[in-house]
Amino acid sequence: MRELFQRLAGSPAGFIAGGFILLLIVVTIVVPLVHSVNPMAISGNALFPPSAQHLLGTDELGRDVLQLLIHGVRVSLSVGLLSALVASVLGVLIGAWAGYFGGRIDMFLMRVAEIFQVLPTFVLAAVIVAMLGPGTTRVIAVIAILAWPQIALVMRSEVYRVKQIDFVDAVRCLGYSEIYILIREVVPNALRPVVALGTLIVGQAILIEASLSFLGLSSPDVISWGGMLNSGQRYLFNAWWLSVLPGIAIFLTVLAFNFIGDALNAALNPKDTGR
Amino acid sequence: MFKKSRIISVLRWTILGGLWVAPAAAQAEAAPQRGGTAIIGLAAEPKGFNSALTSSTPDTVAGCMVYEGLLTIDTGNGKDEISPLLAESWDVSDDGLTYTFHLRNANWHDGQPFTSEDVRYTLEEVAAKFSPMFSAQVGTNLVKVETPDKRTAIIQLKQPYPTLLRTLNCTYSTPILPAHIFKNTDVATNPATTSQPIGTGPFKFESWQRGSHINLVRNDDYWEDGKPYLDGLIIRAIPNAASRIQALMAGEIDFIPMVHFPLNDARMVESTPDLQIVRSGFAPGMTYAAFNLKRAPFNDARVRNALLMATNRQFIHDTAFSGLGDLGRAPWPSGIEWAANREVNYDVSNPYDPERAAALLDEAGLLAGADGTRFSLNIIYDSAIAERNQVANALKANWGAVGVNVTLQPLEIAVVMPRVFKEHDFDIYLNDNNSYGDPAIGVGRVFVTESIGRISGNAAQYSNPEVDALFAAGAKEIDPDKRAEIYQSIQPILVRDMPVMMLHELSGFDGAAKRLHGLWGWIGNGRWAHAWLEQ
């Protein structure tokens, strides 16, 4: 573990990206505690450009853009992290089962995964949300359901590789059950690439959530960066800060998760010692 | 050599500059130019061309290029005058029961002559049965339409209805349809309704690329000499408001009609050199919030009064509507000046005062809980209309300040309509209402018992026999002074009972390229027969 962090810290991009994400998390938790202003509170100062009073300007209802951006982190991060987590758990379970036991179940699960993979993710997400109505939980569920096959396929091949290594037979000789061997011995040794991939899925999920909100498929009661973009684009010519700033926020966050994913991938790859 | 070419170049620029300035100088008395194709941008594609069956904007815009009504309304220079179209002139009997129309010599687009039989067929067999306005307003009041000769149509009424002339235009759902095409067919599915309209209007249907655009071409046989000026029209649907505005700014489209022109972009369009915003010919309208009177706590007048007092109408006016139009001050469009009661004023009865609002909610027994919330409500509105989302957000903030927890539910219009008007499944409904220039047509429907359950009718389910009786009396009163008195006496009751609260008085603006001329000063989407493009 310690070695992993050392190797992560050795990658400058990963280091900066990690710092950025940490900053986001801290800001999300700390700012509402210190500065308890309702970010949805309207004021007469509509469409004020960035100034000392409103560092990032105000929107069409006089709401402070900085406040909105800070509160928007919560939606983006929770959607990103939770849907990646759910997708990873689903993917690991399914992939591990399929890879370890093989046979008809493997065949069946992998065909299902392929069906999900050929579906155009974003279109499907948009259709589902448009039909069922917006809601953060719903968005997380939809993204997770659409993202698990990536994890499952990687997990399956890793488990398939690991189960053929001699130590598995050694454990088997000790008389442990197959399930025990899978959970205690095989899965932990197959998890490495999944962790990196899971991090990449966080970025994808944030982007899907933002895109859905941008298309108006989000609840106007919830502050989200995509939603800000959606209402801000109408003022592209007279209030650039309403669309440019949330755009930058999305860009930086997704980029950060991608860098972290790459750095993790490099750090966890046993073939590349990095030295 | 070098010098000479520079001089020439300077000269050339001067001349070009002069040419460029010339049209602007000539604009005041510019002579209309023939030719060109104007492109109209709408928020949605029409479903058909027959405005006798619907008052939906896309259908009306597309339909009323091809079809025409008997009359139109001249709204130029603040006027509000009934003006001839397919009827050249008309006489009204003294008892207000007989209207005689002298018809124009015109032809349908398929070459058949337009006759009084077309008028009889349309009014008796289509408009009286299906037209959202004519059937509701005239419907059972119509005795018959007589056709003594091909160029005369006589409408006989049971009771006087002084607003009849105002309803007889295409925009207000009474286009004249070709009897020879429609007779003995199902009007709703006839191709002349759905896809192949045959009218008398300035433009003929050419083609429709579904999902993209509709092509209309000049009617060379139009009854008005030398008109239309344009060679054709293209109607495009651009659902996203921002893309629509950007198409206008980029010169891809020339015109966005009022309902589909987002008001919060008006200032931006106005400040763009090639573009203009023009006060449209639409009648006074209002943005209102209807309370579901069948649900607690909105069945308590104190709650409704309190919510109005918690509402900052000035803020809504300044932000959502960019200061265009006026603040809502009464449950009645003040633009219908003769009928407005100036004594009725929210600023006196329900001024913006969150403290008083909170006190009134306390009095109604809706005390704030531990988290400061008194009760929760939802606001339902059409998600396609940009400024409505802003109004809803402002209400959420305003009402949140007095402890009312608001959930916003922007929905597709197709979902909103049945849910609100038929199923009555909502707490607060945000909507715009078009008065059509007369309380008998566009205002009464929001308040009378009869229109409960009708689309664009009485969402609040308000039912007060006194109000019903007054609206009924106003509709058939011939004496203008007495009519005004009747309508003025309704307004204090509507403030007291407050089934709806008016948030804003709408002024419609069209967004257009400056090179588009000649269109404005008429009811609805303007008179396209007179429109021309500067080339």
Side-chain angles (χ1 to χ4, degrees):
Chain A
M1 204 62 185
R2 202 165 148 230
E3 190 203 7
L4 174 67
F5 276 112
Q6 275 172 356
R7 291 175 66 171
L8 264 183
S11 140
F15 188 72
I16 295 170
F20 180 73
I21 290 165
L22 208 64
L23 180 78
L24 283 185
I25 294 173
V26 169
V27 160
T28 326
I29 297 169
V30 170
V31 167
L33 291 179
V34 185
H35 189 69
S36 66
V37 173
N38 176 9
M40 295 288 259
I42 57 177
S43 80
N45 308 339
L47 297 178
F48 274 27
S51 66
Q53 197 195 350
H54 299 283
L55 282 180
L56 300 181
T58 62
D59 75 354
E60 71 275 18
L61 290 169
R63 297 177 294 196
D64 188 276
V65 173
L66 181 60
Q67 283 289 329
L68 291 173
L69 278 178
I70 289 173
H71 283 260
V73 179
R74 204 171 304 177
V75 170
S76 285
L77 282 193
S78 54
V79 167
L81 294 172
L82 286 176
S83 49
L85 187 70
V86 175
S88 300
V89 170
L90 268 179
V92 164
L93 290 178
I94 293 172
W97 190 276
Y100 193 75
F101 295 108
R104 280 167 188 269
I105 293 177
D106 175 30
M107 175 86 172
F108 173 74
L109 288 174
M110 286 308 105
R111 294 302 87 75
V112 171
E114 277 161 14
I115 289 172
F116 274 96
Q117 281 210 306
V118 294
L119 288 173
T121 312
F122 183 69
V123 177
L124 198 65
V127 169
I128 293 173
V129 173
M131 273 166 43
L132 297 179
T136 310
T137 333
R138 222 164 267 165
V139 171
I140 292 173
V142 168
I143 296 175
I145 287 170
L146 293 170
W148 69 264
Q150 303 175 48
I151 303 267
L153 289 179
V154 171
M155 190 64 193
R156 174 181 174 273
S157 59
E158 274 299 296
V159 166
Y160 190 76
R161 183 182 63 79
V162 172
K163 80 169 180 184
Q164 290 168 340
I165 302 175
D166 292 343
F167 86 93
V168 177
D169 282 335
V171 177
R172 199 168 278 140
C173 292
L174 292 174
Y176 289 112
S177 73
E178 291 295 313
I179 294 280
Y180 179 90
I181 299 169
L182 173 63
I183 294 172
R184 291 299 299 268
E185 304 297 336
V186 177
V187 168
N189 283 298
L191 268 182
R192 286 181 162 199
V194 169
V195 172
L197 188 58
T199 320
L200 290 176
I201 288 179
V202 177
Q204 293 173 14
I206 291 175
L207 208 55
I208 291 179
E209 190 278 329
S211 316
L212 288 174
S213 309
F214 176 70
L215 292 179
L217 294 169
S218 71
S219 162
D221 292 322
V222 177
I223 304 167
S224 75
W225 291 344
M228 290 172 74
L229 266 181
N230 177 29
S231 56
Q233 54 157 348
R234 289 193 281 119
Y235 300 93
L236 193 60
F237 291 102
N238 43 2
W240 56 267
W241 56 93
L242 292 184
S243 29
V244 171
L245 296 176
I248 291 176
I250 295 169
F251 168 72
L252 288 179
T253 310
V254 173
L255 193 69
F257 275 104
N258 278 350
F259 277 149
I260 286 268
D262 285 347
L264 271 176
N265 196 21
L268 290 167
N269 192 341
K271 286 180 194 147
D272 176 16
T273 56
R275 276 170 235 159
Chain B
M1 197 58 196
F2 175 68
K3 258 188 176 169
K4 194 177 164 193
S5 74
R6 261 190 71 155
I7 290 167
I8 288 171
S9 132
V10 166
L11 269 177
R12 200 165 66 197
W13 279 113
T14 318
I15 292 164
L16 272 179
L19 282 177
W20 187 78
V21 169
Q27 222 162 29
E29 78 273 36
Q33 295 172 337
R34 264 297 318 272
T37 297
I39 305 175
I40 298 173
L42 299 180
E45 191 169 49
K47 293 192 182 60
F49 295 86
N50 195 342
S51 68
L53 305 180
T54 171
S55 56
S56 114
T57 304
D59 292 35
T60 308
V61 171
C64 295
M65 303 295 180
V66 179
Y67 291 114
E68 291 180 306
L70 282 178
L71 306 169
T72 181
I73 301 174
D74 182 350
T75 61
N77 302 321
K79 275 183 297 189
D80 185 36
E81 271 174 32
I82 309 293
S83 172
L85 204 62
L86 274 177
E88 252 166 354
S89 62
W90 61 92
D91 314 303
V92 187
S93 68
D94 290 339
D95 59 6
L97 294 175
T98 309
Y99 289 73
T100 307
F101 294 92
H102 307 287
L103 306 179
R104 217 175 273 282
N105 187 8
N107 287 327
W108 295 102
H109 292 163
D110 62 0
Q112 298 282 323
F114 157 69
T115 70
S116 54
E117 171 59 12
D118 297 312
V119 177
R120 184 203 67 76
Y121 169 78
T122 306
L123 296 184
E124 279 187 359
E125 296 184 38
V126 182
K129 290 177 188 163
F130 309 114
S131 159
M133 287 179 58
F134 194 83
S135 74
Q137 300 302 319
V138 188
T140 54
N141 191 12
L142 181 72
V143 180
K144 61 181 168 190
V145 180
E146 284 173 16
T147 54
D149 63 62
K150 283 189 185 294
R151 300 277 294 276
T152 311
I154 303 172
I155 297 181
Q156 298 273 9
L157 299 179
K158 278 185 206 140
Q159 293 183 343
Y161 182 61
T163 319
L164 177 73
L165 293 175
R166 188 172 285 277
T167 64
L168 292 175
N169 72 73
C170 185
T171 306
Y172 291 175
S173 297
T174 319
I176 299 300
L177 304 171
H180 67 279
I181 305 271
F182 278 96
K183 220 179 236 176
N184 302 321
T185 68
D186 176 19
V187 178
T189 55
N190 191 303
T193 289
T194 55
S195 56
Q196 295 270 323
I198 295 168
T200 55
F203 295 94
K204 295 195 284 190
F205 175 80
E206 166 93 358
S207 64
W208 185 350
Q209 199 134 4
R210 301 259 170 185
S212 170
H213 63 273
I214 294 172
N215 261 329
L216 303 173
V217 293
R218 181 177 197 268
N219 174 12
D220 295 326
D221 189 26
Y222 191 55
W223 52 263
E224 195 173 354
D225 275 343
K227 309 276 174 26
Y229 296 116
L230 295 172
D231 288 335
L233 279 175
I234 293 173
I235 298 173
R236 276 180 63 184
I238 310 176
N240 182 295
S243 320
R244 195 156 61 246
I245 285 293
Q246 269 148 43
L248 182 69
M249 298 189 65
E252 285 171 30
I253 57 176
D254 302 303
F255 179 79
I256 303 176
M258 173 223 169
V259 181
H260 295 171
F261 179 68
L263 269 188
N264 45 19
D265 291 321
R267 298 292 185 205
M268 181 175 78
V269 168
E270 197 181 18
S271 62
T272 308
D274 299 339
L275 302 180
Q276 54 183 339
I277 57 170
V278 187
R279 183 78 186 261
S280 89
F282 268 97
M286 53 186 187
T287 297
Y288 68 91
F291 297 98
N292 190 342
L293 299 183
K294 292 278 148 70
R295 280 193 186 169
F298 314 107
N299 51 3
D300 185 337
R302 286 174 299 190
V303 175
R304 304 196 293 271
N305 273 287
L307 288 176
L308 177 54
M309 279 193 249
T311 305
N312 189 344
R313 286 167 288 123
Q314 182 73 48
F315 177 80
I316 291 173
H317 173 66
D318 291 341
T319 56
F321 299 97
S322 315
L324 297 164
D326 202 358
L327 269 68
R329 292 198 176 88
W332 196 276
S334 68
I336 310 176
E337 286 182 24
W338 58 269
N341 185 340
R342 304 283 161 195
E343 310 271 296
V344 173
N345 189 344
Y346 286 162
D347 293 342
V348 177
S349 62
N350 301 68
Y352 173 53
D353 189 342
E355 279 172 32
R356 267 178 72 189
L360 205 52
L361 288 173
D362 284 343
E363 197 189 308
L366 295 162
L367 301 173
D371 60 347
T373 304
R374 295 169 191 275
F375 65 98
S376 297
L377 59 81
N378 64 43
I379 303 182
I380 290 187
Y381 55 98
D382 174 5
S383 58
I385 296 172
E387 50 265 23
R388 214 161 292 165
N389 191 42
Q390 256 168 289
V391 174
N393 268 298
L395 290 180
K396 182 185 166 81
N398 278 168
W399 295 354
V402 294
V404 178
N405 178 31
V406 176
T407 310
L408 303 182
Q409 296 194 4
L411 296 166
E412 287 286 315
I413 183 84
V415 179
V416 171
M417 287 295 179
R419 182 159 164 190
V420 168
F421 290 104
K422 305 265 187 214
E423 295 150 27
H424 305 298
D425 178 14
F426 70 98
D427 292 336
I428 306 283
Y429 171 53
L430 266 190
N431 194 20
D432 286 352
N433 181 63
N434 185 343
S435 70
Y436 294 102
D438 194 289
I441 311 178
V443 183
R445 61 179 176 170
V446 180
F447 301 104
V448 298
T449 310
E450 197 198 344
S451 58
I452 296 176
R454 194 179 281 168
I455 295 287
S456 298
N458 184 346
Q461 306 146 75
Y462 175 60
S463 178
N464 180 341
E466 193 188 356
V467 169
D468 291 349
L470 284 169
F471 270 111
K476 61 182 178 216
E477 179 57 59
I478 311 178
D479 179 5
D481 291 338
K482 281 189 194 153
R483 247 194 120 203
E485 210 172 286
I486 293 170
Y487 286 127
Q488 283 166 8
S489 68
I490 299 177
Q491 290 156 58
I493 307 174
L494 295 180
V495 169
R496 187 196 67 205
D497 291 353
M498 202 165 298
V500 306
M501 60 183 195
M502 157 109 91
L503 298 167
H504 182 76
E505 292 229 32
L506 293 167
S507 284
F509 286 87
D510 298 329
K514 270 201 181 132
R515 65 191 197 111
L516 184 64
H517 299 268
L519 176 65
W520 290 278
W522 301 92
I523 192 71
N525 303 295
R527 194 155 178 182
W528 282 88
H530 295 195
W532 57 278
L533 283 172
E534 200 173 292
Q535 277 138 19

